């Protein structure tokens, strides 16, 4: 089992460009999450999906959209990237909402 | 946003020493999760706590869910070099049920 996988691993964008971060899990988990981590800080929840077909805002949703494509996949989209969105983005999944979450390796995004 | 304050912010200890760190909040949490993050990787779940007063061990790690439900503690016994990393507490707020927060982190350095 691969667990939680994320693509790409690294990305550089110019201000105003758009991109989609992909996440997939093979643990048959119901809930999935997107976090961002800024240097020297803890993770902050952007969006989550309690189950297939539902999505909800987390602590810092502005500037992002998400899609729960199916039970396995949860994508994060930046429609118009800004330098403030330079961060490391982590996807996670859990069997039950907000219970034990398992994380992917992260996507390092730089917006210039 | 919600603050989960962790202390100490950083620790430098000799190999073989015991380590104690804690996590406090002004709000009540239903669950406390402890994670370890190595540089360039996603957080890895160490221990999950679900009941006030609960004491749970995972090898050399022991964590406790504070009886006020506003704090949690993590102890590491007989530290080894591979314990180096950043330790985060995390959990869902009790009163909202729809937000999940990470602490500010404790950075641990083990000197061989």
């Amino acid at each position: 089992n691969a667990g939680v996988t994320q693509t790409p691993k690294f990305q550089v964008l110019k201000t105003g460009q758009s991109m989609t971060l992909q996440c997939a899990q093979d643990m048959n988990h119901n809930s999935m999450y997107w976090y961002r981590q800024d240097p020297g800080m803890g993770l902050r929840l952007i969006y989550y999906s309690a189950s297939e077909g539902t999505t909800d805002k987390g602590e810092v949703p502005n500037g992002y959209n998400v899609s729960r494509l199916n039970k396995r996949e949860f994508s994060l989209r930046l429609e118009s990237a800004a330098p403030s969105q330079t961060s490391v983005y982590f996807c996670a999944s859990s069997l039950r909402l907000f219970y034990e979450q398992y994380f992917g390796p992260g996507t390092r995004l730089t917006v210039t | 946003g919600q603050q989960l304050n962790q202390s100490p912010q950083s620790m430098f200890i000799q190999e073989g020493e015991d380590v104690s760190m804690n996590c406090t909040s002004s709000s009540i949490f239903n669950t406390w999760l402890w994670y370890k993050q190595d540089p360039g990787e996603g957080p890895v779940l160490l221990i999950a706590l679900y009941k006030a007063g609960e004491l749970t061990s995972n090898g050399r790690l022991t964590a406790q869910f504070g009886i006020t439900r506003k704090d949690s503690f993590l102890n590491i016994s007989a530290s080894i070099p591979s314990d180096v990393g950043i330790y985060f507490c995390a959990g869902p707020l009790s009163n909202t049920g729809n937000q999940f927060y990470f602490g500010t982190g404790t950075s641990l350095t083990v000197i061989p």
Side-chain angles (χ1 to χ4, degrees):
Chain A
N1 287 348
V4 179
T5 57
Q6 294 182 232
T7 56
K9 285 186 167 42
F10 301 92
Q11 184 71 50
V12 178
L13 292 178
K14 294 188 187 305
T15 297
Q17 288 184 321
S18 63
M19 80 161 296
T20 300
L21 281 63
Q22 307 286 353
C23 174
Q25 53 92 8
D26 62 3
M27 295 177 283
N28 201 33
H29 283 171
N30 294 307
S31 302
M32 298 186 73
Y33 314 82
W34 277 105
Y35 292 88
R36 62 178 288 172
Q37 185 176 30
D38 299 312
M41 296 181 66
L43 284 74
R44 290 183 294 170
L45 184 62
I46 305 172
Y47 270 94
Y48 66 94
S49 171
S51 60
E52 186 178 355
T54 69
T55 60
D56 284 286
K57 295 178 180 179
E59 185 183 1
V60 288
N62 291 345
Y64 305 96
N65 286 302
V66 291
S67 295
R68 183 74 183 267
L69 304 170
N70 47 55
K71 190 171 185 178
R72 289 187 64 248
E73 298 172 289
F74 189 39
S75 63
L76 178 72
R77 183 160 179 84
L78 287 70
E79 290 290 351
S80 179
S84 60
Q85 294 179 304
T86 293
S87 190
V88 181
Y89 291 85
F90 289 101
C91 177
S93 70
S94 64
L95 188 59
R96 294 171 57 186
L97 181 62
F98 295 150
Y99 273 60
E100 300 157 25
Q101 296 174 39
Y102 296 86
F103 284 80
T107 294
R108 283 144 188 82
L109 175 66
T110 301
V111 183
T112 61
Chain B
Q2 179 60 225
Q3 278 284 341
L4 286 179
N5 297 307
Q6 291 187 241
S7 65
Q9 187 174 359
S10 61
M11 304 179 73
F12 294 81
I13 63 168
Q14 294 284 341
E15 183 177 356
E17 288 184 351
D18 296 343
V19 173
S20 292
M21 61 186 77
N22 64 47
C23 181
T24 60
S25 174
S26 58
S27 301
I28 291 173
F29 280 72
N30 283 329
T31 299
W32 288 101
L33 305 174
W34 283 93
Y35 287 87
K36 177 176 181 278
Q37 186 176 30
D38 292 329
E41 298 184 12
V44 174
L45 182 67
L46 300 174
I47 292 181
L49 303 161
Y50 298 107
K51 290 170 56 176
E54 180 179 358
L55 185 71
T56 297
S57 293
N58 178 8
R60 294 179 296 105
L61 278 63
T62 302
Q64 184 161 23
F65 194 141
I67 57 173
T68 66
R69 297 170 64 192
K70 293 182 179 181
D71 55 12
S72 179
F73 308 88
L74 177 69
N75 296 316
I76 305 172
S77 62
S79 59
I80 59 178
S82 62
D83 290 334
V84 166
I86 302 178
Y87 291 79
F88 291 102
C89 60
L93 266 182
S94 172
N95 59 350
T96 64
N98 65 348
Q99 288 296 339
F100 192 90
Y101 296 97
F102 271 77
T104 51
T106 292
S107 175
L108 177 64
T109 300
V110 179
I111 303 165

